[in-house]
Amino acid sequence: MEHESQPSFYAVIPATVRYDKRLTGGAKLLYGEITALCDKFGYCWASNAYFAGLYEKSNDTISRWISSLASCGYIVTLVDTVAGNSRKIWLAEMAAVSAKNKKPIRKNADRVSA
């Protein structure tokens, strides 16, 4: 299911991604597109077909780029089989923040010691 959403006006490609020699130029550009599409919902909703049309590449090429970004630890993907195999992509740094925030607050964590 494609969301009716305008991506952000800019993409972010951090130095760790830009200079990673394991990634192709296309995978680096795709990372930037994913950052732009994460802007509204906190995750990227786009399918391989969406990216393939956008970059005029095959679905297989897009799949390889996504796999390389995931294997290098830059993105986290989840396929929701209940929702018709829809996929969500999170930036790995955002997924880590989200997971960290799910931990319970320790007792007395709000107290400040002098």
Side-chain angles (χ1 to χ4, degrees):
M1 172 171 75
E2 301 295 325
H3 291 267
E4 297 296 324
S5 169
Q6 289 293 328
S8 151
F9 290 108
Y10 60 91
V12 177
I13 306 175
T16 53
V17 174
R18 285 194 321 266
Y19 302 120
D20 192 325
K21 296 188 184 313
R22 299 170 295 174
L23 298 173
T24 64
K28 295 172 186 181
L29 183 60
L30 179 61
Y31 181 88
E33 189 67 30
I34 290 168
T35 68
L37 293 174
C38 283
D39 190 44
K40 185 171 183 179
F41 300 108
Y43 62 88
C44 174
W45 46 264
S47 66
N48 287 6
Y50 173 87
F51 290 128
L54 186 65
Y55 292 116
E56 298 181 348
K57 299 292 181 185
S58 70
N59 284 348
D60 287 343
T61 296
I62 299 301
S63 181
R64 281 193 300 276
W65 291 352
I66 289 174
S67 293
S68 67
L69 288 167
S71 68
C72 290
Y74 297 118
I75 62 171
V76 175
T77 62
L78 174 68
V79 176
D80 187 348
T81 55
V82 175
N85 292 328
S86 65
R87 177 188 62 203
K88 294 180 181 176
I89 304 171
W90 287 269
L91 303 177
E93 61 195 33
M94 296 312 294
V97 168
S98 178
K100 185 177 180 182
N101 289 337
K102 289 182 183 176
K103 292 181 182 175
I105 297 174
R106 293 175 304 145
K107 184 177 179 182
N108 301 325
D110 60 335
R111 294 187 182 178
V112 177
S113 58

